Amino acid sequence: MNLPLRLALRDLRGGLTGLRLLAVCLFLGVAALAAVGSLSAAIVSGLAERGQSILGGDVQLTVAQREATAEELAAFRREGRLSHVTRMRAMAARLDGAESVLVELKGVDDAYPLFGSLRLQQGALVPRPSRSQVAIGSELADRLRVRIGESIRIGNAELRIVGFIAEEPDRVGQGFTLGSTALIDRAGLAATGLVQPGSLYTNAYRLKLAPGADVTAVSKRLGTSFKDAGYQVQDRTNGAPGTRRFIERLGQFLTLVGLTALIVAGIGVGNGVSSYLDGKRGTIATLKLLGASSRTIFLSYLLQIGIVALGAILVGLAFGAAAPWIVTLVAGSALPVPPRLSLYPLPLVVSAAYGLLIAFVFALPPLARARTVAAASLFRGSLEPLRRPSFLVLIGVLAAAALIAALAILTAREPIFAAGFIGSALALLLLLTLLGALIRWAASKLPRPRNPIFRLALANLHRPGAQTGRLVVALGLGLTLFTTLAVIETNLSGQIRTTIPAKAPSFFMLDIPVEDVPRFRALATRAAPQGELVTIPSLRGSVVAVKGQRVADMAEIPEGAWFLRGDRGLTYAAAVPQGSRVVAGRWWPADYQGPPLISLDVEAARAAGLKVGDTMTVSILGREIDATIASLREINWDTMGFNFVIIFAPGTLESAPHSFMATISMPEAQERPFARAVSRAFPTISAIRVKEVVEAVSNMLGQLSVAVRSAASVAILAGIAVLVGALAASRRARIYDSVILKLLGATRSRILTAQALEFTALALIVSAVAFALGATSGWYVVVKVLELDWAPDWAIIALTLAAGAIVTLVLGLLGSLPALAARPAQALRGL
C-alpha cells in the first residue's frame, strides 16, 4: 500500500478539483442524517432526563370525573409522598364581562410540585397563589388586558392575579392544550364551583418515592391493585408518551427523508467520481505505460476518493453533532422540551456507516472501469463504449446496498414502513434509469429532422458517450423531490382551508349542567336569534377491555387504536348523529331498553380488530360496563361538530352523573355579545371559539411543515448537486462536440440552441413523470404517514414543478458554457 498511498497523496496535493462534488454530496447527506438523529435523541433524552418533572412525580395515577376514595389515598400514601392535581377547562373573564378566554385550569395542593420548581416572573406579589389568588400565563393577561394585582373571574370565584407563570415543570406532560394555564390552590378550586358531578375534569395523584425504590415495580403494583378503578398509571420513564411518540415518529420519517437525500447524493458521488477519473485519463495512461499495474492504479484512486469521502463525512458528522446546540439557540422555544445537550454516538455512527456504504456503492463501478481499461484505449477519447462492471464488482455493490437496506430497517421504529420507503426509493431510481434508456432508444429511432439544430439536439440524446441516462436520473430525482415537497406543503397549509365546512359552528360549549340545559337554550335563543344550537350529553370514560382482554395486559396497543389510551369522550343517543352513517350492523330503536349496546367508529374498530358482535368494557367513574358492539359508523370528521368514537344506546348512561355539550353557529358579529352573555349567566360553562381551535391547529401544522421542509431541502440540494455532477461527467464529451462543430462552421449560439432544445425535451418528458411520481409519494406521506386529509393545491404544485424545470434548464445551459468557451486548437491537443 506504500506506493498507492504516495501516489494518492501526491495527486491530492494538486487540489480537490473534480472531487468537490463528491465532498459536497456526502456532506449534505451525512449532515442531514446526523442532524436529525442527534436532535431526536437529544429531545427524547431530555424527556427521559426530566421525566419526573414532566410527569410531576415518580408515579402518576390519573382518573376522570371523580376523586380517589379514602382507601385509595391511604394506599397511595403508603408508597411515597403524595400530591393531588386537578385539571379542567374553564373560562377566565374580566370582572366587567368585556372579555372571556378559555384556560387550562390547574388546581394544586401544597405539595406541588414534587419535582422541579414552580416559578413566577419577576414582579410577582407572592411565590405561589393561595386561596383567592391565581397565577396565569402572560399571554392570557395580554388577551384579557389585565395586570398583576387585578382580579379575574373563573367559575363562581373572583381571583386576584399574583403573578405570571415563568416555569411550569409539568407543562409538557399535559400534551396539546387549547388554552393558557391558570394555576390555583385547592381552596381556590373549591371556590370556583366548577368541580361538580358530571363536570369534565381529571384528577392526577402523583407520588414521590423513597430513594432507591423500584419505580417500575411500584407502578405495576398500583396498576394491578386498582386495575378495576379506572386509573391510568404512568411512571417517570415515560412522562409524556404522546410527545415521545410524536418525536420518535417524526424523527423516523425525517431520518428516512435524510437517507433518501444521501441516496440521491450517492448518484452525485458516482457522477463526481466518473468525471474525476475521466479527467485523469492522461495520468492513468501515463502510469500504465510506465509499468503501474491495474491494482496500483485502483488502490491509488480508491485511497484518494476514500480520503476525500472520509473528510466530507467527518465534517457532516461534526455539523450533525452540533445540531442540538444550533436548533436550541435558533428555535429552542418552539421545541416541546429543552433537548439534553450532549454527544450522541449512535446516530453519528449510523450516519457515518450510511455515508461510507453509499460512497462505496456509487464510487466502486467507475473505479473498477478505470482499473480494467487498457492503456492504449485511454488515449482514444471518451467515445469508446464503457465496459460493464465485472461480476465481482456487482457482487460488492449489491452487498453494500443490502447492508444499507438492512441498517435502515433494523434501526427503524417501524421496520415495515422503513422497508417500503427504501424499496420505493430504489424503485424510483430503477424507473428513472429505464426511462433514460427508453428516451435514448426512442431518439435513435425517430426520423432525422431537416433543420440542423433540431437534428443536432436529437442526436445529442443518443450519440455515443451521451449522458442522457444520467441527466434523466438527475432531472427526475430533483423534479420528483420538488413535486413531493410541493404536495406535502400545500396539503399542510390547505388542511384548515379545505376541511373546515362553510357553515362551521362558532362555539363549542362544555360543562353545561343537566338541570341548566333549558335555561341555556333560552339564553342562546335570545342572544343569538339566528344561531343553530345542538346539544348532546357528555361523559368521560376509558376502555379497559376488548373481546375479554384487558387493555392493561396488552403487550402493545395496536397502531391506530388511539381510543384505547386514556380517557375518551362518551355519549348516548337514540338516533344516528348528523355526519355519521352506519356501515355495519344495525342502529338500535329510538325506545331501546335492554343490555348495553355501543356504536363504534369503523376506523377505530378496524385498527383494534373489532367487529359487530364483539364486546368492549368501558370504565365510567370507576364502574365497568360490559357492552356489545351493535354497529360500526363512518364519521365525517369535517363537520366540526361533536363526533364521538363510542356512542351508547339509551338506557345505560342516563343515571350516571354527566353534563351536556353544545355547538352553536351564528354570524361573527354576534359572537362576542353571546360569549359575554354566557359568561355572566353561566360562569361554570366553558366556551371554545372554533377560530381559536383553528389557529392552534394551524400553528401545529406550521411547525410540522417547517420540519418537513428543512429535511426535504437537503434532498433538493443533493438533487441539484446530482444534476451538476451529471453535467460535469459529460463535460469532456461536450467539449469534443463543441470543438468539432466549431471547426465545421457552427456558431456558439447554434450550439447553445441545440443544447437548450436537448435539455428542454428532457425536462418536458421528465416533468410529466416527476409529476405523477411526486403526487403519488406526496399522497402516501400525507395520507398514510401524517394521517391528514388529501387537500393539495394543484396550481401551486404545477408552478413549483415548472419553476424546478426552469431552474434545471438554466443550470444545464450554464454547465454548457465552459464547453462553448473551449478553444479548438487547445481542446484538440488535450483530446
Side-chain angles (χ1 to χ4, degrees):
M1 293 293 291
N2 186 37
L3 179 59
L5 180 60
R6 283 165 47 201
L7 291 173
L9 294 176
R10 185 174 298 172
D11 220 356
L12 287 176
R13 280 198 291 269
L16 295 179
T17 303
L19 290 178
R20 292 194 186 97
L21 181 64
L22 164 70
V24 169
C25 288
L26 282 178
F27 166 76
L28 287 173
V30 172
L33 277 174
V36 170
S38 296
L39 184 59
S40 298
I43 294 177
V44 171
S45 295
L47 288 171
E49 183 181 56
R50 301 181 58 192
Q52 292 171 317
S53 298
I54 292 172
L55 183 65
D58 290 312
V59 179
Q60 175 178 272
L61 298 96
T62 308
V63 66
Q65 293 184 286
R66 76 174 184 90
E67 294 195 1
T69 64
E71 293 78 11
E72 291 170 343
L73 290 174
F76 298 162
R77 290 193 176 98
R78 283 196 295 268
E79 300 291 351
R81 187 183 177 197
L82 179 66
S83 175
H84 179 197
V85 177
T86 302
R87 288 179 49 220
M88 65 188 310
R89 293 185 182 92
M91 297 301 295
R94 292 171 54 91
L95 294 184
D96 59 10
E99 188 71 52
S100 59
V101 177
L102 181 73
V103 297
E104 191 75 17
L105 184 64
K106 180 185 290 187
V108 302
D109 59 10
D110 294 337
Y112 173 90
L114 295 176
F115 295 94
S117 60
L118 171 67
R119 185 170 57 86
L120 303 185
Q121 294 181 14
Q122 188 174 3
L125 302 180
V126 294
R128 57 185 295 153
S130 62
R131 296 188 177 276
S132 60
Q133 299 173 342
V134 62
I136 63 176
S138 57
E139 65 276 10
L140 175 60
D142 292 338
R143 294 193 59 183
L144 290 177
R145 302 188 303 279
V146 293
R147 296 174 295 180
I148 293 176
E150 297 181 349
S151 295
I152 59 176
R153 180 182 297 278
I154 298 179
N156 296 322
E158 290 186 12
L159 303 170
R160 187 187 184 202
I161 302 171
V162 294
F164 300 146
I165 300 172
E167 183 178 349
E168 184 184 358
D170 56 343
R171 181 69 179 85
V172 174
Q174 296 175 192
F176 177 73
T177 58
L178 293 174
S180 177
T181 299
L183 192 140
I184 56 181
D185 69 355
R186 306 299 303 176
L189 180 64
T192 64
L194 294 174
V195 179
Q196 299 291 336
S199 299
L200 299 179
Y201 63 93
T202 301
N203 279 309
Y205 297 92
R206 298 165 176 176
L207 298 173
K208 182 177 183 179
L209 305 183
D214 189 336
V215 174
T216 304
V218 172
S219 178
K220 288 182 178 180
R221 183 164 60 248
L222 290 172
T224 303
S225 300
F226 301 104
K227 65 179 181 180
D228 298 329
Y231 282 99
Q232 180 184 2
V233 183
Q234 292 174 258
D235 61 53
R236 68 189 184 202
T237 60
N238 197 12
T243 302
R244 186 187 184 103
R245 283 195 300 271
F246 176 77
I247 294 298
E248 288 179 344
R249 283 189 177 183
L250 183 61
Q252 176 184 318
F253 171 68
L254 296 181
T255 296
L256 291 174
V257 172
L259 181 57
T260 302
L262 189 55
I263 293 174
V264 172
I267 300 172
V269 169
N271 289 337
V273 172
S274 295
S275 176
Y276 178 68
L277 294 177
D278 186 57
K280 293 290 184 179
R281 285 175 176 267
T283 303
I284 295 173
T286 302
L287 289 172
K288 284 203 169 186
L289 289 175
L290 292 175
S293 65
S294 296
R295 177 179 179 277
T296 299
I297 290 175
F298 176 79
L299 290 176
S300 173
Y301 285 100
L302 178 63
L303 287 170
Q304 287 187 50
I305 292 167
I307 291 171
V308 174
L310 188 60
I313 289 172
L314 289 175
V315 175
L317 292 177
F319 178 84
W325 280 271
I326 297 173
V327 173
T328 301
L329 182 64
V330 175
S333 59
L335 297 176
V337 63
R340 181 176 177 269
L341 299 179
S342 182
L343 190 65
Y344 296 92
L346 182 58
L348 299 181
V349 170
V350 172
S351 301
Y354 277 133
L356 291 173
L357 289 171
I358 288 289
F360 181 81
V361 166
F362 288 97
L364 185 60
L367 273 172
R369 284 197 295 266
R371 178 183 187 276
T372 57
V373 175
S377 66
L378 293 173
F379 288 105
R380 296 172 188 161
S382 59
L383 298 181
E384 181 172 329
L386 294 173
R387 296 183 183 181
R388 293 181 179 179
S390 67
F391 180 74
L392 289 178
V393 171
L394 290 177
I395 291 296
V397 169
L398 290 176
L403 285 175
I404 293 171
L407 186 61
I409 294 170
L410 294 176
T411 57
R413 184 174 181 270
E414 299 177 15
I416 295 177
F417 172 70
F421 198 98
I422 296 297
S424 300
L426 295 177
L428 174 61
L429 292 177
L430 179 61
L431 179 61
L432 292 174
T433 301
L434 294 176
L435 178 62
L438 179 62
I439 292 174
R440 189 166 180 171
W441 176 84
S444 67
K445 301 300 180 182
L446 289 175
R448 300 178 182 274
R450 292 185 178 182
N451 188 304
I453 294 179
F454 286 95
R455 188 163 62 247
L456 178 60
L458 183 63
N460 282 343
L461 295 175
H462 66 85
R463 58 174 171 75
Q467 299 293 317
T468 302
R470 289 179 176 177
L471 288 173
V472 166
V473 171
L475 280 172
L477 287 172
L479 294 180
T480 300
L481 289 169
F482 268 118
T483 307
T484 303
L485 179 60
V487 169
I488 297 173
E489 283 280 316
T490 58
N491 270 277
L492 289 175
S493 60
Q495 287 299 304
I496 303 301
R497 173 176 47 82
T498 58
T499 56
I500 292 183
K503 200 173 182 181
S506 303
F507 288 96
F508 298 132
M509 316 299 296
L510 308 179
D511 293 331
I512 306 173
V514 175
E515 63 275 11
D516 286 340
V517 171
R519 195 159 61 93
F520 174 78
R521 287 180 178 275
L523 183 146
T525 302
R526 292 194 306 271
Q530 301 176 358
E532 296 182 11
L533 178 66
V534 177
T535 58
I536 188 169
S538 170
L539 302 88
R540 301 288 293 181
S542 58
V543 179
V544 295
V546 292
K547 294 192 291 188
Q549 182 184 11
R550 305 291 298 188
V551 173
D553 296 336
M554 292 182 177
E556 185 176 1
I557 293 178
E559 184 69 23
W562 50 269
F563 70 102
L564 299 180
R565 295 188 178 97
D567 295 322
R568 296 269 72 83
L570 305 172
T571 190
Y572 57 88
V576 180
Q578 185 178 2
S580 296
R581 68 183 185 92
V582 176
V583 295
R586 298 180 59 185
W587 192 263
W588 43 76
D591 58 350
Y592 176 80
Q593 294 293 326
L597 298 177
I598 59 174
S599 179
L600 186 63
D601 170 40
V602 66
E603 294 295 333
R606 188 176 295 121
L610 298 173
K611 62 183 185 301
V612 173
D614 288 339
T615 60
M616 287 179 55
T617 303
V618 181
S619 176
I620 302 174
L621 300 176
R623 177 191 169 193
E624 294 191 359
I625 301 174
D626 296 322
T628 302
I629 300 175
S631 64
L632 302 179
R633 289 168 295 117
E634 184 178 80
I635 301 175
N636 179 12
W637 299 97
D638 295 342
T639 60
M640 292 292 288
F642 288 120
N643 295 304
F644 288 82
V645 173
I646 302 172
I647 299 179
F648 273 81
T652 302
L653 303 182
E654 286 87 340
S655 60
H658 64 282
S659 60
F660 270 70
M661 294 179 173
T663 60
I664 185 167
S665 305
M666 64 185 68
E668 188 171 354
Q670 296 180 1
E671 289 183 0
R672 287 189 179 278
F674 173 77
R676 286 196 293 268
V678 170
S679 178
R680 292 191 186 100
F682 300 96
T684 61
I685 293 179
S686 300
I688 304 175
R689 296 187 68 191
V690 172
K691 189 177 296 184
E692 295 176 357
V693 178
V694 170
E695 290 176 357
V697 176
S698 296
N699 292 335
M700 183 177 65
L701 290 176
Q703 293 175 355
L704 182 61
S705 177
V706 169
V708 173
R709 189 188 308 128
S710 300
S713 63
V714 178
I716 290 175
L717 288 175
I720 293 174
V722 169
L723 177 62
V724 173
L727 294 172
S730 64
R731 178 176 57 86
R732 185 179 177 87
R734 292 193 179 275
I735 290 176
Y736 181 88
D737 290 345
S738 176
V739 167
I740 297 300
L741 290 171
K742 284 181 180 180
L743 291 175
L744 295 175
T747 62
R748 291 186 179 184
S749 61
R750 289 199 168 195
I751 297 173
L752 188 63
T753 302
Q755 292 180 351
L757 290 173
E758 173 193 354
F759 288 129
T760 301
L762 288 177
L764 290 175
I765 296 171
V766 176
S767 293
V769 176
F771 183 83
L773 294 174
T776 302
S777 57
W779 171 85
Y780 185 84
V781 170
V782 170
V783 176
K784 298 298 183 181
V785 179
L786 301 179
E787 297 181 355
L788 299 174
D789 291 325
W790 179 242
D793 189 327
W794 294 113
I796 294 178
I797 294 170
L799 289 174
T800 302
L801 180 61
I806 292 173
V807 168
T808 55
L809 178 62
V810 171
L811 287 175
L813 294 178
L814 290 176
S816 301
L817 293 180
L820 295 177
R823 295 182 179 181
Q826 181 180 358
L828 288 174
R829 284 195 295 269
L831 295 172

